Amino acid sequence: MSRKNALDLHIPAPNARPGDKPNFSGWTFPEPGDTPRPDIDASPSELRDYAYGLIRVLDMEGNALGAWAPHLDPETLRRGLKYMILTRAFDDRMYRAQRQGKTSFYMQSFGEEAISVAQSMVLSPEDMCFPSYRQQGLLIARDYPIVEMMNQIYSNKRDPMRGRQLPVMYSSKKDGFFTISGNLATQVPQAVGWAMASAYSGDVRIAATWLGDGSTAEGDFHAAMTFAAVYRAPVIINVVNNQYAISSFQGIAGGENTTFAARGVGYGMAPLRVDGNDFLAVYAVTQWAAERARANLGPTLIEHFTYRGGPHSTSDDPSRYRPADEGRSWPLGDPLERLKQHLISIGEWSDDQHRAAQEAAVEQVREAGREAEKDGVLGAEGAHSAQSMFEDVYKEMPWHLQEQRKQLEV
Amino acid sequence: MSRKNALDLHIPAPNARPGDKPNFSGWTFPEPGDTPRPDIDASPSELRDYAYGLIRVLDMEGNALGAWAPHLDPETLRRGLKYMILTRAFDDRMYRAQRQGKTSFYMQSFGEEAISVAQSMVLSPEDMCFPSYRQQGLLIARDYPIVEMMNQIYSNKRDPMRGRQLPVMYSSKKDGFFTISGNLATQVPQAVGWAMASAYSGDVRIAATWLGDGSTAEGDFHAAMTFAAVYRAPVIINVVNNQYAISSFQGIAGGENTTFAARGVGYGMAPLRVDGNDFLAVYAVTQWAAERARANLGPTLIEHFTYRGGPHSTSDDPSRYRPADEGRSWPLGDPLERLKQHLISIGEWSDDQHRAAQEAAVEQVREAGREAEKDGVLGAEGAHSAQSMFEDVYKEMPWHLQEQRKQLEV
Amino acid sequence: MATMTMIQALNSALDTMMARDSRVLTFGEDVGYFGGVFKVTEHLQEKYGAKRCFDAPINECGIAGTAIGMAVYGLRPVIEIQFADYMYPAYDQLVSEAARIRYRSANDFTVPMTVRMPYGGGIYGGQTHSQSPEALFTHVAGLKTVIPATPYDAKGLLISAIEDDDPVIFLEPKRVYNGPFDGRRDRPVIPWSKHPASEVPEGYYKIPLGKANIVREGSEMTILSYGTMVHVALAATEDSGIDAEVIDLRTLLPVDIEAIKTSVQKTGRCVILHEATRTSGYGAELAALVQEHCFYHLEAPIERVTGFDTPYPHALEWEYFPTPPRIIKAMRRAMEA
Amino acid sequence: MATMTMIQALNSALDTMMARDSRVLTFGEDVGYFGGVFKVTEHLQEKYGAKRCFDAPINECGIAGTAIGMAVYGLRPVIEIQFADYMYPAYDQLVSEAARIRYRSANDFTVPMTVRMPYGGGIYGGQTHSQSPEALFTHVAGLKTVIPATPYDAKGLLISAIEDDDPVIFLEPKRVYNGPFDGRRDRPVIPWSKHPASEVPEGYYKIPLGKANIVREGSEMTILSYGTMVHVALAATEDSGIDAEVIDLRTLLPVDIEAIKTSVQKTGRCVILHEATRTSGYGAELAALVQEHCFYHLEAPIERVTGFDTPYPHALEWEYFPTPPRIIKAMRRAMEA
Ligand SMILES: Cc1ncc(C[n+]2csc(CCOP(=O)(O)OP(=O)(O)O)c2C)c(N)n1
Ligand SMILES: Cc1ncc(C[n+]2csc(CCOP(=O)(O)OP(=O)(O)O)c2C)c(N)n1
Ligand SMILES: [Mg+2]
Ligand SMILES: [Mg+2]
């Protein structure tokens, strides 16, 4: 069919595919320090423009500028940097462990470390985090033992999840880290419900949740946004826009003509959009949102604009769908490098210290790896008894599971 | 628990409950004629403010004002008015028919007639409508025989739906009216898909869909908005904000701090907000959105701000949850009265003509009712053979349905 | 003791639990001020305030998802899905999340929530106010599925569900909300007040989950059913003259296999009743279980009398509904086999 | 004739249909440029353009819902749900809408769409990349449910599904995408190229829906299975030395009752296999049907060998998966009964 005035179907396509030059020419960013910092009790309607800007503190030379600068003491900054370094070293080793056949699957957070580390440091350990699978930095910055994370990844006999979950699907209630789900976005309304329960109980704890740009398309995100806005739940909803959902670029998720922070505008929710590779900016917006939530002023949607530096997971090869060197040309750089540069520029860090910290992290990870592997890697015989498979389906095992368990024994 | 800085859960509550005085003091409206009319190729970002205003053409004296006035010829206006009168007369009789036990259920569109009638007149009969259960005016304004609608409502032997559907769940492909579902909002992504298919096929037909304020909370709405925005589908998504979802006011649906048109802003979709009781304004915004869609400029979200004049359905009594006289004090009046007044004010109508039109509509409905009842009302023996129950589950009846049918015969 | 309809008994269960335990709260569409479209939550907002009984946006996914979050926090939310036909948007949260959180977190997080939903046909509700989706829950490890048949059971089972530390799907047979409908369309419906199981204590009591109730002892065959169909089974038994043992399962998952075994091994014949569509309905599981556990006692094929494999047809619902005549035919087939 | 894996055969089916019929288009998450996470749609975007093979937002409800709209318009969309475990958000659109539109509109509107989804375990996918939700579809009137076991069948059945005028749920056993896994973990997996059913015509052909395939004739018992389990059934039969008749059902709804009846009436014994959780699994329906239709021929209780009633455990998947030893035990029980 081809007629005058014929309609045509628009299929979004990215600027660059394998073989093309990376092309980020579509993006424009405000200057670091240029965005004002509103009061935490500003109304959502006053905050609409924040959905379309980008809160930046660090410039590309490492200076912290403007009203959003969180003025952290050097010790805090160094801790943040070290957690990021550790997260990256951990990812690196676990990625290789999967390649070596020690486990079935792994997902790095390469390039996105500032987000989970800074946010973990801002939130109280009593607050509850409802993460997606790419916020390992939350646990690391809460000093959760990385050997436990490895035990989980290896499904070995000390795996706290008893071999039941895909690697990286951690859970730790005492660290305020909710059990990760394989189903995208389901955690978002759960976080809102947890926050509602906290408010219902006159508690002081808030909830935070993370999901990817791609996952904002899920209905659960809409449910969460609606409930959070209606009941003014004390929750921070973080959209980590790393520009990709497996192979598809953010245009397929609805980012071609607007931002993800703008979704918040639609619900009358406070929206902030931040440079996710800027540790200080992420820290500052999280402080703002947490304060707002604690003051009963309701939820905030934060879009963290970043770039997924690695593959989606160990199951894909990104050079099949995007230029192999695209990540290196992301104009907002690398979050580790940027915080390092800042610390050096304020005279609180040096290249040598940095190298030493990296080596220490690699060593720490290696050490933990050795310890974890003592308890086995995936597939090791007898890590978990077959009997254990029937436990925890219910609090008490009903007859039919007892019978099935017995069947297996015989 | 009660601590310093304790959180608190916010539960939205309406301004007025039974026993209270109706209270619409929270709403402010721009003056009729004040809202400019943008070009149809304006970008969604240029259109954001339309989400927070209210497009009005008719003032409360019946004058048509401003850039949105559609300048319709009097004959078209009179047709529109007559369809509205007929819709109301039809509703009135069917509501009573349910009360008389002739059917199980009915839903009026009292107070919302301008929306479906005006929109039906703007859209081409080739376009496909995906309505909710409160757009009977679409069919009526497409001259669908009201006796057929009654046959459906009575599930009688001439019911085109063969007794299978709840009353008011019409379907008429040849009239571009998609089979209504009892599950809220499911039609919205379907409309988007139909529109995508039309664009895929290089066709010229567009789709339109309707859902209530309450239904915007459903995940299907988010799915539809996302897909429509991503693929720029030629579709008009109409939110009929009649301020209620059964018993709950629009604040529970997320309308306490923003508008429903604003949802469109979140997706980067063109948003318009219109006085749903203003036939001319509804007509004009629909023309605008249809032109935009036909020009491959993508979808529009229209919020029609109106008031549900009657109960939700025959199953509820609104005076149990809102002031009984609230509807009468809705500041934007009654759509029929307002168009009548306009026609009179331009010298193209009179009170006598109006009365005569009303009587003619009542008579037409009575006549159709008599005809429909000849074919039976709900519960009449033998309207549909039990055998027919097994037909149309699949194109061809599989063995197990043949067997079940046989079982029933014996 | 008071005389209650099933609606009143359910309301009383919620009232009792909300009074006893501040962790119990309830929400859903029209549940707050209005008290629910079936009035199960009537007066609870008045009594306990809007924070403990409130309206929800029309998003079943959000209702279930937020309730999970609340349960994880430590509350005991009871949510209402207005009609079981509208549970589908919540299905992912229920089966992928509520059902698995204990397991996947190895007991770190738990979800003590109750999901109430009116189900079943017989009220001229058409395709989307008549469904019986119980089999979609009994297939899901980690959920419990409960269906009461009387006011007394409804209250006792709902209290058990609320106190259960795992998620419970609580399906309410709406056709018997106001009276024990027995499937005989030609006789006036009897009000609950005439039925002994409408005697309901005002206060706290429980009926354990997982225990069936033999509502009629019999020797010639076993009828397995639940919800509305229990009353229809009794009517069919009466009309047939066959001495059937009628079992009200009350809990579908975990089912009371001992009660089933004991009865079928005694009677040697089994008829299974439900309103849901036949293929892959819960009756299939019951038939499979019965033949697995009672094969050598069975004297006739197990009969299933169910809704047909079609959507629920508005005007033909009395042809669709498994009424006593259809049941009696199956009973006779079983007897004559 | 070419030698194809199941993935290649599925790709060839799509290619064949897209070439023949401009109404056929396909979309889903990562389906476009990338060709799908399992590569079933590889090269189709290149060949047919982005409008006929494209990426979708991660919203299964939207994928299903828009496909319904397209089918209503007159196209024949084939959608991919990336893993069957992620179909739940689409479930309402599939069961309340796609399944019922023909019925509720009395044939006015129809939905000729195909929903492809990889399902099943055995790939260390954990709880959310391993599920077998077929019973959640076989309970739904208005849907057809199809599961191929070989490349040849996969292509022929997918073409039939696309040409079918009703919505078809097409579940793909991902464990055998690349080779006929037979459940013996200690032996190397055989590539498809060594299997006769990998001979697949390049062009158009169909395998009718609703017809089972007897993959092994036998006299001592009947094994009913589908998907991956067909290969496991053959291995178990071989290892057991029992002369079992192995039936690959291919279509679960409507099921080929004649093939089942003929076989079980001949053998008098029946073992049912599936990966899905046991309770209310499709095996329950099969057991119910078999005892209904073959009661007087049965010499032993019908056995079900299935996944356990737990979520799919990552590290214990080989304890969970119904492997030949477990099946053989059930076969012996059936023989010795
Ligand atoms: C409901 C559901 N649908 C599909 C998937 C498969 N899947 C896993 S991750 C992913 C991409 C997610 O992208 P995004 O949300 O942007 O997160 P990112 O991986 O970039 O952090 C997809 C499609 C899933 N896990 N759950
Ligand atoms: C999925 C689903 N959930 C709940 C219902 C029950 N229900 C029917 S109409 C209605 C209220 C809808 O309100 P709104 O969308 O504002 O439309 P209105 O009736 O005002 O036109 C509800 C909750 C339903 N039909 N479908
Ligand atoms: Mg992403
Ligand atoms: Mg409404």
Side-chain angles (χ1 to χ4, degrees), chain B residues 149-404:
Chain B
M149 296 168 75
M150 291 174 171
N151 291 335
Q152 196 283 327
I153 290 163
Y154 291 153
S155 287
N156 70 16
K157 63 170 178 267
R158 286 176 53 199
D159 170 10
M161 261 87 264
R162 307 185 71 186
R164 295 196 187 126
Q165 275 275 50
L166 203 64
V168 318
M169 304 285 172
Y170 317 107
S171 173
S172 182
K173 189 173 182 180
K174 72 169 175 24
D175 296 285
F177 190 96
F178 185 67
T179 162
I180 298 174
S181 177
N183 295 51
L184 294 171
T186 48
Q187 74 278 14
V188 192
Q190 294 164 7
V192 173
W194 196 97
M196 288 172 69
S198 186
Y200 168 90
S201 307
D203 197 342
V204 298
R205 296 177 291 161
I206 66 172
T209 183
W210 289 259
L211 76 164
D213 50 313
S215 304
T216 62
E218 283 290 4
D220 296 66
F221 175 67
H222 178 61
M225 293 296 286
T226 302
F227 278 66
V230 166
Y231 303 112
R232 296 185 199 157
V235 64
I236 305 173
I237 300 179
N238 296 287
V239 174
V240 181
N241 176 8
N242 62 10
Q243 305 184 48
Y244 283 94
I246 310 190
S247 74
S248 69
F249 85 118
Q250 56 144 18
I252 294 292
E256 200 177 28
N257 291 307
T258 188
T259 68
F260 292 94
R263 295 281 191 280
V265 175
Y267 300 88
M269 188 186 297
L272 297 178
R273 189 158 180 266
V274 64
D275 175 1
N277 290 7
D278 177 340
F279 183 92
L280 296 184
V282 171
Y283 200 103
V285 297
T286 309
Q287 279 183 318
W288 187 93
E291 254 187 84
R292 186 174 169 93
R294 289 191 209 286
N296 266 316
L297 295 163
T300 302
L301 178 74
I302 305 177
E303 174 185 348
H304 303 265
F305 198 23
T306 180
Y307 182 88
R308 196 192 74 207
H312 171 71
S313 74
T314 44
S315 305
D316 69 310
D317 169 6
S319 72
R320 299 281 303 271
Y321 50 80
R322 67 184 188 188
D325 56 343
E326 194 184 67
R328 280 192 297 280
S329 50
W330 174 237
L332 298 177
D334 175 315
L336 268 72
E337 286 305 311
R338 289 178 63 194
L339 184 56
K340 168 191 166 196
Q341 204 181 16
H342 174 60
L343 268 164
I344 292 176
S345 81
I346 60 173
E348 294 285 351
W349 195 245
S350 70
D351 278 320
D352 284 351
Q353 279 174 293
H354 195 78
R355 216 168 307 118
Q358 281 175 321
E359 279 161 19
V362 168
E363 185 46 37
Q364 184 184 347
V365 169
R366 189 180 299 134
E367 185 49 45
R370 266 195 293 266
E371 202 186 319
E373 290 183 27
K374 270 191 231 152
D375 290 305
V377 296
L378 181 63
E381 279 292 307
H384 306 279
S385 76
Q387 307 304 312
S388 74
M389 176 164 65
F390 301 94
E391 291 163 19
D392 305 331
V393 181
Y394 300 93
K395 187 176 183 189
E396 271 136 37
M397 199 181 296
W399 72 268
H400 63 285
L401 282 170
Q402 289 178 28
E403 197 172 271
Q404 290 174 23

Side-chain angles (χ1 to χ4, degrees), chain A residues 160-161 164-165 171-173 179-181 183 186 190 193 197 200-201 203 220 231 389 391-392 394-395 399, chain C residues 22 51-52 55-57 65-66 69-70 73 92-93 97 102-104 106-109 142-143 165-166 255:
Chain A
M161 261 87 263
R164 296 198 186 124
Q165 273 277 50
S171 173
S172 183
K173 189 173 181 179
T179 163
I180 298 174
S181 176
N183 296 50
T186 48
Q190 293 163 8
Y200 168 89
S201 308
D203 198 344
D220 295 65
Y231 301 111
M389 175 163 67
E391 290 163 19
D392 305 332
Y394 300 92
K395 187 174 182 189
W399 71 268
Chain C
S22 66
K51 291 186 179 87
R52 296 192 63 195
D55 288 344
T66 54
M70 292 176 189
Y73 176 92
D92 191 33
Q93 284 285 349
E97 299 293 319
R102 180 191 291 278
Y103 192 80
R104 75 178 198 227
N107 246 330
D108 200 20
F109 292 97
L143 297 180
D165 288 325
D166 287 306
V255 76

